[in-house]
Amino acid sequence: MIPPTPTLPSGQRLCSCFVYGTLMSREVVMGLIGRCPDMVPAFLCNHRRHPVKGVVYPGMISNDMTKDPQVSSDSYGVRGMLLTGMRPHELERFDWFEDEGNDYVRLDVNVRVQKGHRESDRVISPSEQIRFTNGDISINNSDWEEISTQAYIWARPISDLDTKSTWSYDNFRERNLAWYLSSTVKYCRQELDRSGIRLADFRPN
C-alpha cells in the first residue's frame, strides 16, 4: 500500500526535487523517508550526467561547467524523475544523503514534464522508469511544459567524474541496487533516525 501524502503543519509548503541517479529508485526513496512521493518523468536541458569515479552513483553538471569546445549548450540533457509533494523534512533527508554543500549543491532548475502531469501524478514503477530513461523524448514537443524545481548538481572537481562515460539507471538496478540498499541506504536511514532529521511529525490525512 502506498503511504498517504503528509499533511503539513501551518506555514510549511510542499516542495519538489528533480532526481537523476539512485533516487530514481522507489526502493531507495522509501528506505530514506519511509514513503515514495509522486514521481513524474522529467527532462533537464543543458546538463550532463556521468558516473562518479569509484562509486555506483552519478553526478550531474551543467554544460557551462565544461571547457570542452565540442559541447554546445543544446548538446546534452538529462532524463530523470520529478518528485512532487515532498515536505521540507524529507528534502532535508535528501540533503544529508547527498552530502549537500560538499559533494552536491541543491540549485534551482527548470525541468520539462508532460502537460497535465498534475492530474495524472502517480508512483512510477521501476520498469516504467527504465523505459523512460532509455527512451527517446522530443523536448520541443508541445505536449511538454516547463516546471521550476531543484536538483543536486555535482560540486566537487569535474575530474572526479568519468566524463568519458554515461551513467545507466538500468545497469544500476540490475547490478548494484540490492547491494546499495543493504550497504548504503540501510546505514543512511539509521544515521538519519539518530541525527534528529526525523519523520516523527508526519501526520497522515
Side-chain angles (χ1 to χ4, degrees):
M1 183 178 72
I2 300 172
T5 300
T7 298
L8 292 181
S10 177
Q12 291 191 19
R13 299 178 60 185
L14 291 174
C15 47
S16 65
C17 184
F18 174 75
V19 297
Y20 55 88
T22 62
L23 288 173
M24 292 173 66
S25 163
R26 288 180 59 193
E27 297 93 330
V28 173
V29 174
M30 285 283 293
L32 293 173
I33 66 174
R35 71 180 190 97
C36 191
D38 290 335
M39 304 178 77
V40 182
F43 187 89
L44 178 59
C45 298
N46 303 329
H47 285 71
R48 298 189 292 167
R49 168 179 49 200
H50 298 290
V52 179
K53 293 177 180 177
V55 294
V56 301
Y57 52 82
M60 182 173 69
I61 57 175
S62 72
N63 287 348
D64 295 337
M65 296 170 67
T66 179
K67 303 298 184 181
D68 187 348
Q70 303 301 317
V71 177
S72 69
S73 60
D74 296 321
S75 292
Y76 295 90
V78 175
R79 298 175 178 87
M81 289 287 170
L82 178 66
L83 274 60
T84 65
M86 295 188 65
R87 62 179 307 164
H89 283 182
E90 293 171 337
L91 201 56
E92 286 180 26
R93 285 192 162 220
F94 279 10
D95 285 348
W96 187 94
F97 178 70
E98 299 283 11
D99 199 6
E100 202 276 337
N102 292 301
D103 288 352
Y104 300 86
V105 59
R106 176 158 51 89
L107 298 178
D108 294 336
V109 296
N110 293 320
V111 300
R112 298 188 181 186
V113 301
Q114 285 186 309
K115 288 183 178 178
H117 75 281
R118 294 180 181 85
E119 288 71 35
S120 60
D121 277 356
R122 61 188 178 90
V123 173
I124 305 295
S125 72
S127 61
E128 287 176 306
Q129 291 183 29
I130 292 171
R131 285 200 299 272
F132 175 81
T133 305
N134 285 343
D136 293 329
I137 179 174
S138 174
I139 60 173
N140 295 317
N141 190 292
S142 60
D143 291 336
W144 294 74
E145 63 179 326
E146 199 164 74
I147 299 292
S148 296
T149 185
Q150 293 186 314
Y152 292 96
I153 307 299
W154 184 246
R156 291 196 179 276
I158 295 178
S159 59
D160 289 346
L161 300 178
D162 181 4
T163 56
K164 302 295 185 182
S165 302
T166 58
W167 186 84
S168 167
Y169 177 71
D170 302 57
N171 290 341
F172 167 75
R173 284 199 66 89
E174 180 180 350
R175 302 174 184 176
N176 302 118
L177 177 59
W179 169 83
Y180 192 72
L181 290 170
S182 62
S183 68
T184 301
V185 176
K186 182 179 179 180
Y187 167 79
C188 288
R189 177 61 182 263
Q190 292 170 344
E191 291 300 307
L192 281 164
D193 288 343
R194 295 189 189 105
S195 71
I197 308 177
R198 298 182 178 273
L199 301 176
D201 57 349
F202 173 89
R203 296 183 295 168
N205 290 327

